[in-house]
Amino acid sequence: DPVREGCDFIGWDTDYSSIEEDITVTAQYNTNKYTVRFEDYDGTELDVKEVEHGNAVVPPETPTREGDTFIGWDKSIDNITGNTVIKATYQINEYTVTFVDYDGSVIDTQSVKYQQSAALPENPTRIGYTFKEWQGTWENITEDTTVTATYVINTYRVDFVDYDGTLIVSQSVEYGKGATAPE
């Protein structure tokens, strides 16, 4: 029997048992068909298709995965030559975490993978203020995020004293503000 890649020989197209003239006898084949199984990253079946030998298979709708971006299939979908399992492949998403100061100026920018945490930068300084905390989310990142430095205004003690050092009045005054003189 003749052999043809991707096909099964099923016989001849003409009876050649009693020849009385010139004839051509042509081999007949059935093209092999294969099962192509599309799977998601976790083995979940997305679709199953049957395709003839050597043909391309049409993939299912592009799958999605939270926190990742679909980047393609792990095997070629062209020229199928056997039963095949094709898996979806993904790339983890990265997001920008921007740390800004009270005035919006950028202190630090970091690229952070999905559900990971940014590293806090060194606490900034501001004349007349004390750094309080970072306001915003820098942990378990799922989107681009801005984190802002917050401050508490410094207060100072102003003592009004008499000529002999006797305290007349003491006041607490915020940075940049004026004290009120006693009578």
Side-chain angles (χ1 to χ4, degrees):
D1 291 340
V3 176
R4 181 176 170 194
E5 183 183 353
C7 298
D8 291 328
F9 175 74
I10 58 172
W12 301 100
D13 70 341
T14 304
D15 180 21
Y16 54 89
S17 62
S18 176
I19 304 299
E20 296 175 2
E21 60 185 57
D22 290 342
I23 63 169
T24 299
V25 181
T26 304
Q28 300 294 299
Y29 299 91
N30 277 337
T31 303
N32 292 340
K33 292 182 180 178
Y34 306 110
T35 300
V36 178
R37 177 182 160 99
F38 287 91
E39 292 183 354
D40 209 351
Y41 70 98
D42 60 358
T44 302
E45 183 178 285
L46 298 171
D47 199 3
V48 176
K49 301 207 175 188
E50 187 174 84
V51 63
E52 288 187 348
H53 179 86
N55 288 340
V57 63
V58 177
E61 186 175 314
T62 301
T64 59
R65 180 178 181 190
E66 185 177 346
D68 290 344
T69 299
F70 175 79
I71 59 171
W73 301 103
D74 71 340
K75 294 184 180 114
S76 173
I77 59 172
D78 300 320
N79 191 27
I80 302 299
T81 59
N83 293 329
T84 308
V85 174
I86 301 176
K87 285 195 168 214
T89 58
Y90 298 87
Q91 180 175 337
I92 192 164
N93 293 341
E94 290 192 16
Y95 301 98
T96 300
V97 178
T98 305
F99 292 89
V100 298
D101 211 348
Y102 70 98
D103 60 358
S105 61
V106 175
I107 295 170
D108 188 24
T109 301
Q110 298 176 28
S111 183
V112 179
K113 291 183 178 181
Y114 177 75
Q115 291 188 328
Q116 298 297 309
S117 298
L120 290 175
E122 195 173 303
N123 293 342
T125 58
R126 180 178 176 190
I127 295 172
Y129 294 80
T130 300
F131 176 81
K132 180 180 178 187
E133 65 186 357
W134 292 104
Q135 188 175 34
T137 301
W138 63 88
E139 298 176 311
N140 194 30
I141 299 299
T142 59
E143 62 187 356
D144 291 341
T145 305
T146 299
V147 181
T148 305
T150 60
Y151 299 86
V152 175
I153 193 165
N154 292 341
T155 57
Y156 303 96
R157 181 177 153 173
V158 178
D159 292 335
F160 288 90
V161 294
D162 208 349
Y163 71 95
D164 61 357
T166 305
L167 179 65
I168 298 172
V169 69
S170 184
Q171 296 176 12
S172 181
V173 179
E174 290 182 344
Y175 169 79
K177 304 274 172 99
T180 305
E183 292 184 18

